[in-house]
């Protein structure tokens, strides 16, 4: 899993303490909550922020890597081995003294068939041949 505390950082002394604990006595700290109870989600990064929260407030997004079991297709050499895949964005919030995570609302666009495109097979060549005219991201 991925352990996390909710607490305060003293920016002068650079000491952190979970809510209700003493920063100087780590033996009194509570057991951290687990953000994810599976070891398949690891190396997470909760440092992405933007201003797309309620009333343009700051929201925090978390990404990580997801591991999977080795498939038969990998074992028999049909496809190359892969170690992990980048996760979809998770929206983080603090509620009731714990970290709460949910899929970022933008993930819903993946389920909207009107936002999908189908392109024929093509070769992209240096100098501009084969590029998809008019296709742009929304970042």
């Amino acid at each position: 899993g991925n352990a996390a505390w909710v607490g305060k950082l003293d920016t002068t002394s650079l000491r952190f303490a979970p809510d209700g604990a003493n920063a100087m006595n780590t033996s009194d700290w509570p057991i951290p909550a687990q953000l994810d109870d599976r070891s398949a989600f690891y190396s997470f990064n909760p440092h992405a922020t933007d201003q797309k929260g309620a009333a343009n407030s700051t929201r925090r997004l978390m990404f990580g890597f997801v591991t999977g079991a080795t498939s038969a297709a990998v074992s028999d050499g049909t496809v190359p081995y892969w170690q992990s895949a980048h996760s979809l964005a998770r929206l983080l919030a603090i509620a009731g003294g714990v970290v709460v995570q949910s899929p970022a609302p933008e993930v819903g666009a993946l389920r909207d068939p009107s936002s999908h495109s189908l392109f024929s097979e093509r070769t992209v060549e240096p100098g501009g041949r084969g590029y998809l005219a008019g296709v742009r991201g929304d970042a």
Side-chain angles (χ1 to χ4, degrees):
N2 297 293
W5 285 286
V6 173
K8 302 281 185 277
L9 174 66
D10 181 326
T11 57
T12 303
S13 67
L14 297 180
R15 291 192 180 270
F16 171 81
D19 287 347
N22 181 337
M24 300 301 287
N25 188 359
T26 58
S27 64
D28 288 343
W29 287 20
I31 295 171
Q34 297 295 315
L35 293 180
D36 197 297
D37 62 356
R38 300 177 308 127
S39 61
F41 183 71
Y42 74 102
S43 189
F44 63 92
N45 181 344
H47 303 297
T49 60
D50 64 22
Q51 303 301 313
K52 295 182 180 179
N56 297 320
S57 63
T58 301
R59 65 180 188 164
R60 182 165 303 278
L61 300 163
M62 178 172 71
F63 299 90
F65 290 95
V66 181
T67 60
T70 302
S71 70
V74 168
S75 297
D76 69 17
T78 305
V79 297
Y81 179 76
W82 66 275
Q83 175 61 36
S84 60
H86 207 260
S87 72
L88 296 174
R90 298 177 182 197
L91 186 61
L92 297 180
I94 297 175
V98 297
V99 178
V100 177
Q101 56 185 325
S102 58
E106 292 84 352
V107 172
L110 297 173
R111 299 209 182 269
D112 178 7
S114 69
S115 68
H116 298 180
S117 300
L118 178 64
F119 301 100
S120 61
E121 186 176 320
R122 62 179 59 224
T123 301
V124 177
E125 298 174 5
R129 290 183 48 110
Y131 289 93
L132 301 172
V135 174
R136 299 275 184 267
D138 62 359

